DNA sequence: GTTGCCAATGAAAGCGCTTACATTGTATAG
DNA sequence: CTATACAATGTAAGCGCTTTCATTGGCAAC
């Protein structure tokens, strides 16, 4: 690998001049500039970003912390953030923790992944909401240049891109109500996740306003996975409640529910209606297409990336980008998985 | 951010000693070692990987080149490779090109992403098969420490993790034949992709051996997307051929086919059977579950990562890992989307 | 008491860049 | 013609580490 020095020698100039033709071409004479570019081409030189980062104390890199790449929820966020960053000449590097471990190991692995980002001198970290808010808050406190996306951690201290899960829950309930449903069950996400409890609370509250109590028997604990949704639906069927509608707190589970319905010969939405949450890729791909709550992950991830960029711009005394929207409100996307059973 | 020097001063030793307690603790006396670790903890020191990389000329990082994070095919590969690398203390960094561009722009963006990996001093690059083999080959020639996964580029020169798409195609045909299907159509992937032509060729060849010719009217060009599968199925329906089986060259399209069947009131598999390809997450999630050809992406990606590790180990005169399997053979996974129509 | 060896540490160079500062040459003003 | 300014370039220090080589002191052997 040729270095700046090699190029400089080849072009008969000093390495400073070569560096300048890269970073401040306006400072170098046209004639020498072309000598240099010729030498660069000839030697096949490629800049060593590592050395550049060290010298300038800026990596032009933002880290993203996630626990997996295989997720209908996280993947679009990675995509959105990394592409936007790329457009501004920044680089996104994502660290994935090892999951499927015991609690202690998994916390350990989360910290390792997080440290690896910091060690790599990322200029900020976008944290996806895959762990408990308290843990996120803890990390964000250690490393203030953090941005949390999808959940909020105790307020003003830190930057968050938030989404109103509570209203989402209400919207789901409202839609079911409007279509005449009373006998309703809900499948939750992991109980320790804030977003899940908010979605649930919104749903329950709205129902309660219409004098429908969602009791312990109408609430099934899920885990945001297809299989989880499936298991829950099996239990629902076994319970003999014959609900006319089920609210699954995310689309993966909604698909699981639909799948179990299919197996049991239950027609969707004729026999039972389903509403999901997230409006992920899955929702348009299901048959019937899923009525769900839209969470604009692309916008949110781009907003997070913009915040990240502004952290870096701030340090470099560059003029910041326009501040993005940081709080997002859900909307209901009506498709074909909810039947109107009004008499 | 405290530096090694700061820690050294705090502990009353030289920076060399601090460095050694990190990298060669056996060389430093127990007493000083504990002084140093105390100082590290106290100062909140975290190592600067950038500086370390520069000094050691090794980044402990392997790059992965892809075009998107949102893919049932690529995501598991990212997952598998990055987790394995992580287990060995290496770091995977993935560069995603911007897609949805014109051809010229997209080539440009691919090269930019690729360069950004090289500039970051990755020790090898794992390239996913999202572009034409010729382009992959071209890049691999420029940067010999490349590993291609999912397709083969002209042989022995370069390292590849390959999969026998041709046999996969044959397997699909064989299964359909065995179940009594004669009136068959096929939906291909993008015609410029090697894997797609191989899948198609295997399918056609096997059929031909049983005196079934797949003519131009029975072959529909798809693009490996859900929507592509859907469109193709619509055309198939409109064509009035009423095939008893359709072979979709990947699972995304198979799902599209199923979806269109649903809309048209065609029962799967009673009215028409479907076989997919890849055995992606989608295939177990569909109703009915999809009969498909398994491509063991986890194994393949781990094999690619192992190869990558060995490249680095080679440079560092470390003892290499056991060489992984590099060629993978498909198997057919029988689920419920193919009906036996033997009389 | 020398000598030699080895374990533990420090001094300093160097990885490939950037950048403040110094230097040079030339155009412009007086 | 000298003084001044400025554009173009070079010199060299330094970013935070690693690592070679030198130094030191203790201990075993003689």
């Amino acid at each position: 690998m040729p270095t700046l020095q090699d190029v400089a020698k080849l072009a008969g100039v000093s390495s400073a001049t070569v560096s300048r033709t890269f970073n401040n071409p306006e400072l170098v004479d046209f004639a020498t500039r072309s000598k240099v570019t010729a030498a660069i081409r000839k030697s096949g030189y490629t800049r060593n970003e590592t050395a550049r980062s060290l010298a300038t104390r800026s990596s032009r890199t933002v880290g993203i912390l996630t626990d997996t790449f295989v997720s209908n929820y996280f993947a679009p966020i990675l995509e959105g953030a990394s592409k936007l960053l790329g457009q501004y000449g920044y680089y996104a590097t994502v660290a994935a923790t090892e999951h499927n471990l015991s609690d202690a190991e998994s916390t350990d692995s989360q910290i390792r992944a997080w440290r690896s980002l910091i060690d790599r001198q990322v200029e900020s970290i976008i944290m996806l909401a895959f762990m408990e808010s308290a843990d996120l808050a803890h990390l964000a406190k250690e490393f203030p240049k953090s941005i949390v996306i999808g959940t909020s951690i105790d307020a003003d201290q830190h930057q968050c891109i938030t989404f109103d899960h509570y209203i989402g829950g209400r919207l789901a309930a409202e839609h079911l109500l409007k279509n005449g449903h009373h006998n309703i069950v809900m499948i939750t996400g992991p109980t320790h996740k804030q977003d899940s409890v908010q979605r649930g609370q919104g749903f329950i509250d709205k129902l309660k306003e219409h004098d429908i109590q969602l009791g312990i028997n109408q609430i099934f604990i899920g885990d945001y996975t297809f299989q989880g949704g499936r298991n829950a639906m099996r239990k629902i069927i076994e319970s003999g409640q014959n609900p006319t509608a089920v609210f699954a707190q995310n689309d993966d589970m909604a698909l699981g529910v639909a799948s179990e319905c299919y197996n049991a010969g239950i027609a969707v939405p004729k026999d039972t209606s389903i509403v999901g949450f997230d409006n992920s890729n899955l929702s348009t791909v299901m048959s019937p297409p899923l009525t769900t709550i839209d969470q604009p992950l692309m916008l949110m991830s781009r907003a997070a990336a913009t915040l990240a960029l502004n952290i870096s711009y701030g340090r470099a005394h560059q003029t910041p980008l326009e501040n993005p929207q940081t709080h997002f409100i859900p909307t209901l996307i009506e498709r074909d998985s909810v039947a109107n059973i009004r008499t």
Side-chain angles (χ1 to χ4, degrees), chain A:
Chain A
M1 283 278 101
T3 71
L4 253 206
Q5 286 290 352
D6 300 335
V7 175
K9 211 164 295 170
L10 223 169
V13 299
S14 76
S15 64
T17 300
V18 180
S19 174
R20 274 190 283 256
T21 86
F22 264 98
N23 305 310
N24 302 91
E26 71 279 8
L27 293 185
V28 13
D29 189 71
F30 180 77
T32 52
R33 207 180 344 180
S34 44
K35 271 194 304 184
V36 170
T37 46
I40 289 172
R41 203 178 317 279
K42 186 168 170 197
S43 62
Y45 171 78
T46 79
R47 166 207 232 118
N48 183 328
E49 263 298 324
T50 303
R52 205 200 67 88
S53 295
L54 184 59
T56 60
R57 294 180 255 341
S58 91
S59 61
R60 289 197 203 157
T61 300
V62 352
I64 306 183
L65 191 63
T66 182
D67 68 337
T68 178
F69 290 95
V70 183
S71 160
N72 294 308
Y73 182 79
F74 292 144
I77 297 181
L78 300 181
E79 185 86 5
S82 100
K83 300 269 154 103
L84 185 130
L85 257 5
Q87 278 164 20
Y88 285 89
Y90 272 64
Y91 183 81
T93 190
V94 2
T97 68
E98 283 139 83
H99 51 173
N100 304 335
L101 300 173
S102 74
D103 273 10
E105 285 175 330
S106 121
T107 303
D108 198 57
S109 144
Q110 283 159 15
I111 294 193
R112 269 210 312 282
W114 176 74
R115 282 281 296 246
S116 85
L117 290 177
I118 295 177
D119 290 353
R120 280 184 163 67
Q121 309 299 112
V122 297
E123 298 185 5
S124 57
I125 296 183
I126 298 176
M127 299 199 288
L128 308 200
F130 65 92
M131 35 180 174
E132 300 191 29
S133 309
D135 293 335
L136 288 171
H138 179 244
L139 295 185
K141 203 172 150 202
E142 290 282 310
F143 187 79
K145 291 171 293 186
S146 295
I147 293 152
V148 175
I149 180 169
T151 190
S152 68
I153 60 177
D154 49 30
D156 33 56
Q157 284 279 37
H158 306 301
Q159 307 209 51
C160 304
I161 301 296
T162 53
F163 176 76
D164 203 321
H165 300 282
Y166 180 82
I167 294 198
R170 291 183 67 94
L171 244 36
E174 184 181 335
H175 186 69
L176 256 18
L177 258 12
K178 204 170 61 190
N179 283 281
H181 295 272
H182 304 102
N183 185 187
I184 296 172
V185 302
M186 169 169 79
I187 305 174
T188 72
T191 49
H192 65 266
K193 293 198 76 178
Q194 214 184 73
D195 45 46
S196 171
V197 339
Q198 289 171 180
R199 290 172 189 191
Q201 200 56 54
F203 193 73
I204 289 173
D205 286 358
K206 181 71 190 182
L207 251 33
K208 193 174 287 167
E209 288 170 18
H210 290 252
D211 293 324
I212 300 182
Q213 291 280 347
L214 215 56
I216 190 81
N217 295 327
Q218 281 91 256
I219 298 178
F220 293 77
I221 310 291
D223 59 1
Y224 280 163
T225 69
F226 170 79
Q227 195 55 49
R230 205 158 163 171
N231 295 342
M233 190 61 199
R234 184 162 323 131
K235 281 195 205 136
I236 292 169
I237 295 173
E238 286 165 2
S239 78
Q241 304 190 42
N242 295 320
T244 63
V246 4
F247 169 45
Q249 281 186 5
N250 81 347
D251 291 349
D252 286 57
M253 294 196 300
L255 182 53
V257 169
S259 163
E260 195 61 27
C261 286
Y262 174 88
N263 289 341
I266 298 173
V268 176
K270 197 165 109 341
D271 300 334
T272 110
S273 295
I274 304 176
V275 7
F277 206 113
D278 284 346
N279 192 26
S280 76
N281 295 332
L282 252 33
S283 54
T284 53
V285 137
M286 286 175 55
S287 302
L290 184 68
T291 292
T292 189
I293 308 297
D294 182 51
Q295 179 170 8
L297 294 181
M298 266 308 181
L299 292 177
M300 290 168 67
S301 60
R302 293 174 67 89
T306 306
L307 252 30
L309 241 23
N310 276 347
I311 288 178
S312 295
Y313 285 2
R315 288 206 321 159
H317 305 293
Q318 272 184 275
T319 63
L321 299 174
E322 193 184 340
N323 259 63
Q325 181 180 352
T326 59
H327 186 66
F328 291 79
I329 302 295
T331 53
L332 183 129
I333 308 286
E334 187 167 358
R335 297 209 182 86
D336 307 329
S337 65
V338 173
N340 189 334
I341 60 170
R342 272 229 143 73
T343 44

